[in-house]
Amino acid sequence: MKYMLLINASAVDEDGGAAGCDVSDWMAYDKQVREAGILVSGESLADLVTATTVRVGEDGRRTVTDGPFAETREILGGFYVIDVPDLDVALDWAARCPGARGNGAVVVRPVAEFGG
Amino acid sequence: MGGAPADTGGTDEAPAAVVEAVFREERGRLLAALVRRFGDLDLAEEVTSEAVEAALTRWPVDGVPPRPGAWLMTTARRRAVDRLRRDQALAARLAILQAEADRAEPAPAPMPGGELPDERLQLFFTCAHPALAAEDHGALTLRYLAGLTTPEVARAFLVPTATMAKRITRAKKKIHEARIPFRVPGAQELPQRLPGVLQAVYSIFTEGYAASEGPRLQRLDLAEEAIRLARILRRLLPAGREVAGLLALMLLIHARRDARTGPDDELVLLDEQDRGRWDRRMIAEGLDLVPVALAGGPPGPYGVQAAIAALHVEAADLATTDWPQIVALYDVLLALAPSPVVALNRAAAVAMRDGPEAGLALLDELADEPLLRGHHPYPAARADLLHCLGRHADAAEAYREALGLAGTEPERALLRRRLDAIERLRAPGT
């Protein structure tokens, strides 16, 4: 079963780390996830100021806008997709993620399975 | 106890009644074993119902089998396998689930003597999983462990059936799709997860002990169901001291049920209760459990509350109750599980120990607690103490406030009686 761990950090410092942890914590966690053989994919997202939004209206016209910017306190800073047997295991991995510390939070979403 | 109730088997008398008794005991166990085996709540529930229907048709004709639980299990399992054969896609998915579950945790060995393995503990932890909304824990426990129907669960929590059906469907979907496992947490996780399970059972009990609204004060069926569930938990987790504490607490409170209401279902408070109507057997059972809950380490909140309840039932009357020790226990409880409601109860105990003035001072410190706003026992407790101090106008006002907040008719009636008594005092000439 695949789960996406959405890493929401209240603020991202210059090293890309969330509050309460540093880059070495992230590297250690990343290594653990890889070595456990559960990693499907994972990325750290670039700074939110680089984000761009695209919407397509009913008339088919494209609107491109700068942002979004951090209007809420929590912003998506990165994600992992892991493949583990059940929610408890996914929650264990989420709890070990440095992004869950400080004011951060990790949201766990099961990936929908189609067919079968 | 434990195992199939073989002593009910083989009799010819009223199979329907026997089925009902067997089913009550076996349903949760059956469901849990099937969920564990097939990993699917819906499938497990459907085949459990079918097995019971089959029993209701067969047993009156063939007689109740010697091991009714095993009979039901075999029947349900066959039905499940039939369904899976018909639904190959589901079967394939369940096979994967099962393989994963077995890898994560080997299946328990069959019990000696061919008894059904008891997998209800797994189901308790699933129903009270922290990934589910806390307000749904009690509902799911009633639905899947006590075997209540959705309308019955809805009635228990005083919500419309459609609302409860939606909540249960949503929770079931989450269990299924997010794959909340059917497992007992390991030793490391257990201390964190067990309180949720106990809270689910206790929330069922409190809804039964003092309904939050409605015409009646007590819903004895719910309180008894909670005690039955706690007994099952105690059998499954004999080393759990807080389980013993919770069971003791509920027994000691429930022992007073007959004395808590008068002939017209009016509320009778502790100081006016006929202690001869307390259930001595239940008290004895509860008192036996209190030391279990308190021995061998720092006590948990249920153990401390059970100890407080024990001091109440051991006293001959209110005056000889050991109030200093009750206050001391509330201090312990406040440190373990601080809450304004505990502080309110402590203030009432202090009033009994040191007099109404001291109690009132503590209550006034709680005036700004948002959790007590809208909680009628707070103004009611203030009113009682103000009354004792002869501040009748203030007492009347506090009773009126409590009256506006009380949810059940018997509580309102009691407050109205007290208010009337004060108003008569205030206007002696009229």
Side-chain angles (χ1 to χ4, degrees):
Chain A
M1 178 89 175
K2 290 183 185 126
Y3 294 88
M4 187 166 196
L5 312 188
L6 296 159
I7 301 154
N8 291 309
S10 53
V12 181
D13 63 27
E14 53 279 13
D15 295 327
C21 55
D22 58 39
V23 168
S24 64
D25 293 319
W26 282 104
M27 282 166 63
Y29 180 70
D30 204 72
K31 189 159 173 274
Q32 285 167 13
V33 171
R34 282 169 205 282
E35 285 175 357
I38 57 167
L39 179 72
V40 177
S41 65
E43 299 293 348
S44 172
L45 301 180
D47 196 302
L48 196 64
V49 297
T50 62
T52 311
T53 304
V54 179
R55 287 185 188 82
V56 178
E58 278 174 30
D59 55 2
R61 279 172 58 109
R62 219 189 244 198
T63 317
V64 176
T65 49
D66 191 13
F69 302 108
E71 285 162 23
T72 56
R73 285 182 58 81
E74 291 188 344
I75 56 165
L76 182 62
F79 69 90
Y80 280 97
V81 177
I82 57 173
D83 194 349
V84 293
D86 59 49
L87 183 65
D88 276 358
V89 183
L91 293 174
D92 284 343
W93 279 104
R96 291 159 76 171
C97 179
R101 292 179 215 156
N103 293 320
V106 175
V107 175
V108 178
R109 298 273 308 264
V111 174
E113 288 174 338
F114 298 102
Chain B
M1 283 199 246
D7 51 340
T8 56
T11 57
D12 294 329
E13 33 125 4
V18 178
V19 175
E20 168 137 8
V22 169
F23 191 48
R24 210 173 147 65
E25 185 52 35
E26 296 296 328
R27 191 188 187 282
R29 192 195 308 231
L30 198 61
L31 189 71
L34 290 162
V35 164
R36 154 87 208 177
R37 190 179 163 94
F38 297 105
D40 187 296
L41 256 174
D42 281 326
L43 179 72
E45 251 204 310
E46 282 163 24
V47 297
T48 299
S49 299
E50 286 179 16
V52 170
E53 268 169 45
L56 284 167
T57 344
R58 294 310 318 162
W59 295 3
V61 181
D62 302 346
V64 176
R67 291 196 301 123
W71 189 98
L72 286 167
M73 184 62 178
T74 308
T75 309
R77 209 152 42 195
R78 280 199 194 120
R79 304 262 169 157
V81 171
D82 282 350
R83 269 166 189 256
L84 291 176
R85 280 211 190 99
R86 260 178 281 144
D87 188 346
Q88 291 293 334
L90 180 62
R93 219 167 67 222
L94 291 186
I96 295 169
L97 265 181
Q98 188 58 40
E100 275 177 357
D102 287 346
R103 204 176 45 203
E105 176 188 13
M111 307 264 275
E115 284 176 7
L116 295 181
D118 203 327
E119 277 142 337
R120 281 176 292 187
L121 195 55
Q122 275 104 315
L123 201 49
F124 269 109
F125 279 98
T126 306
C127 289
H129 197 282
L132 297 167
E135 59 164 13
D136 291 345
H137 292 168
L140 290 172
T141 304
L142 276 179
R143 180 81 185 84
Y144 294 112
L145 280 151
L148 267 60
T149 62
T150 301
E152 283 168 341
V153 178
R155 211 163 53 231
F157 289 100
L158 299 154
V159 300
T161 300
T163 309
M164 185 51 80
K166 235 181 268 168
R167 271 169 51 186
I168 288 180
T169 304
R170 195 198 152 274
K172 210 159 56 173
K173 188 173 171 195
K174 172 131 191 205
I175 291 172
H176 184 73
E177 290 186 3
R179 209 175 284 173
I180 291 177
F182 296 97
R183 64 183 262 273
V184 178
Q188 251 190 331
E189 223 186 327
L190 196 66
Q192 267 179 46
R193 295 277 310 276
L194 186 59
V197 171
L198 300 178
Q199 180 59 50
V201 174
Y202 194 48
S203 74
I204 294 168
F205 181 79
T206 49
E207 196 55 48
Y209 165 75
S212 38
E213 50 191 313
R216 294 183 62 85
L217 181 74
Q218 309 193 72
R219 317 230 350 253
L220 297 179
D221 53 335
L222 273 185
E224 271 151 24
E225 198 52 60
I227 290 175
R228 193 174 75 85
L229 290 169
R231 283 190 208 279
I232 294 172
L233 264 181
R234 168 119 184 94
R235 276 210 299 279
L236 299 174
L237 276 176
R241 288 163 55 218
E242 275 290 87
V243 179
L246 174 64
L247 180 55
L249 174 64
M250 295 194 300
L251 287 167
L252 293 172
I253 295 175
H254 196 59
R256 309 201 290 251
R257 68 197 176 278
D258 292 340
R260 282 188 74 230
T261 48
D264 300 315
D265 201 37
E266 72 269 24
L267 176 60
V268 182
L269 292 184
L270 193 59
D271 54 341
E272 291 165 349
Q273 282 174 17
D274 173 2
R275 296 180 180 223
R277 295 182 67 202
W278 289 358
D279 186 330
R280 289 291 145 192
R281 244 187 39 188
M282 210 172 253
I283 287 175
E285 192 191 347
L287 290 179
D288 277 349
L289 284 167
V290 173
V292 180
L294 297 182
Y302 290 114
V304 176
Q305 288 177 83
I308 294 171
L311 288 173
H312 281 300
V313 298
E314 280 174 331
D317 52 45
L318 219 55
T320 58
T321 303
D322 189 348
W323 294 108
Q325 206 183 331
I326 288 181
V327 172
L329 284 169
Y330 272 121
D331 288 337
V332 174
L333 187 58
L334 214 46
L336 275 176
S339 95
V341 173
V342 174
L344 166 61
N345 290 330
R346 180 181 177 276
V350 168
M352 293 304 294
R353 185 189 66 180
D354 302 337
E357 200 105 41
L360 193 62
L362 288 174
L363 284 184
D364 286 340
E365 284 173 24
L366 297 171
D368 294 328
E369 281 295 345
L371 266 171
L372 292 179
R373 213 159 288 148
H375 185 62
H376 77 268
Y378 178 70
R382 278 195 76 235
D384 287 344
L385 296 182
L386 288 165
H387 185 180
C388 287
L389 290 168
R391 289 166 58 183
H392 299 311
D394 295 337
E397 195 190 315
Y399 277 129
R400 258 180 238 117
E401 190 189 336
L403 201 49
L405 295 170
T408 65
E409 191 41 44
E411 285 167 323
R412 278 195 292 269
L414 176 84
L415 291 166
R416 226 175 279 130
R417 274 204 310 279
R418 301 216 158 169
L419 180 60
D420 288 348
I422 287 218
E423 278 173 344
R424 271 198 302 278
L425 280 174
R426 290 178 64 205
T430 54

